[in-house]
């Protein structure tokens, strides 16, 4: 979904900020800077909207949208990039939607296998082949929303306890991140 692109780019990274400078992998810094969002580190979790008492972490990173709504994504959990798994995933609490959202990026072949097949465009393989044949580096982006609430739906605590396999199940394809390969 097009509206998922910016939050996915803004939320799926492992950047930190030190003395006003982003610290992390150069590709992630460039990717994040293109969004116009900003990072605020070491924000207290307690008292944040929708975050229940007793969440195990005391501080979090907040990613703030440049839009008038000033949407905030509160990083809850990072499944770090693994070369063996060829992907990374970040779980965030979305203040605007009051939901837990999953943002993933990685190898198109791996991410497509984690996606609900109905979310993949029919020309997925063709588009991927065209860009890789022309020497571009291509990552796939995907997202999902974990339902919160009553009647058997998960709580934030439940989401934090989920395994990586569970979190990354039935993602929705967002698009490709296509980069020059210098």
């Amino acid at each position: 979904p097009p509206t998922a692109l910016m939050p996915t780019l803004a939320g799926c990274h492992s950047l930190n900020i030190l003395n006003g400078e982003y610290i992390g992998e150069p590709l992630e810094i460039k990717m994040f800077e293109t969004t116009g969002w900003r990072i605020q580190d070491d924000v207290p979790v307690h008292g944040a909207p929708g975050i229940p008492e007793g969440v195990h972490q005391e501080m979090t990173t907040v990613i703030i949208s440049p839009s008038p709504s000033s949407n905030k994504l509160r990083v809850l959990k990072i499944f770090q990039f693994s070369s063996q798994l060829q992907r990374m995933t970040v779980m965030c609490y979305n203040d605007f939607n009051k939901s837990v959202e999953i943002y993933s990026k990685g190898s198109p072949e791996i991410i497509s296998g984690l996606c609900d097949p109905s979310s993949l465009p029919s020309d997925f393989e063709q588009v991927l082949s065209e860009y890789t044949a022309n020497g571009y580096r291509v990552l796939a982006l995907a997202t999902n929303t974990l339902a919160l609430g009553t009647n058997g739906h998960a709580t934030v605590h439940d989401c934090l306890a989920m395994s990586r396999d569970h979190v990354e199940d039935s993602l929705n394809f967002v698009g490709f991140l296509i980069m020059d390969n210098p």
Side-chain angles (χ1 to χ4, degrees):
T3 57
L5 180 62
M6 282 302 165
T8 304
L9 289 171
C12 193
H13 58 78
S14 56
L15 297 177
N16 290 303
I17 194 162
L18 180 65
N19 299 325
E21 300 283 324
Y22 294 123
I23 307 297
E25 197 220 314
L27 167 72
E28 287 191 335
I29 293 171
K30 188 71 171 162
M31 180 186 80
F32 182 77
E33 287 176 338
T34 65
T35 69
W37 290 49
R38 60 189 171 89
I39 295 175
Q40 185 177 353
D41 260 345
D42 297 329
V43 176
V45 170
H46 302 293
I51 304 292
E53 291 295 318
V55 169
H56 73 280
Q57 62 203 87
E58 293 183 17
M59 304 300 262
T60 189
T61 298
V62 176
I63 304 160
I64 303 170
S65 161
S67 71
S69 68
S70 291
N71 188 17
K72 293 179 181 160
L73 302 175
R74 297 176 190 276
V75 176
L76 297 174
K77 190 172 191 177
I78 298 175
F79 295 99
Q80 293 290 345
F81 176 80
S82 157
S83 55
Q84 181 182 2
L85 298 176
Q86 300 179 37
R87 66 184 182 271
M88 81 169 296
T89 296
V90 178
M91 179 187 295
C92 295
Y93 181 81
N94 183 320
D95 280 4
F96 185 75
N97 296 336
K98 309 286 187 258
S99 60
V100 173
E101 296 183 358
I102 305 304
Y103 303 110
S104 297
K105 72 176 179 198
S107 153
E109 296 80 7
I110 298 297
I111 295 293
S112 65
L114 297 171
C115 286
D116 177 336
S118 68
S119 74
L120 295 169
S122 59
D123 62 350
F124 180 94
E125 293 295 334
Q126 177 188 347
V127 171
L128 176 60
S129 293
E130 286 176 20
Y131 281 106
T132 56
N134 286 310
Y136 290 98
R137 182 175 177 197
V138 181
L139 295 177
L141 305 172
T143 189
N144 203 359
T145 300
L146 301 178
L148 294 175
T150 57
N151 301 327
H153 290 286
T155 65
V156 173
H157 286 292
D158 295 333
C159 294
L160 288 168
M162 289 178 181
S163 69
R164 183 175 193 155
D165 288 340
H166 190 162
V167 167
E168 295 173 336
D169 185 45
S170 297
L171 296 170
N172 294 301
F173 179 72
V174 171
F176 291 119
L177 177 60
I178 300 162
M179 301 154 288
D180 252 337
N181 210 357

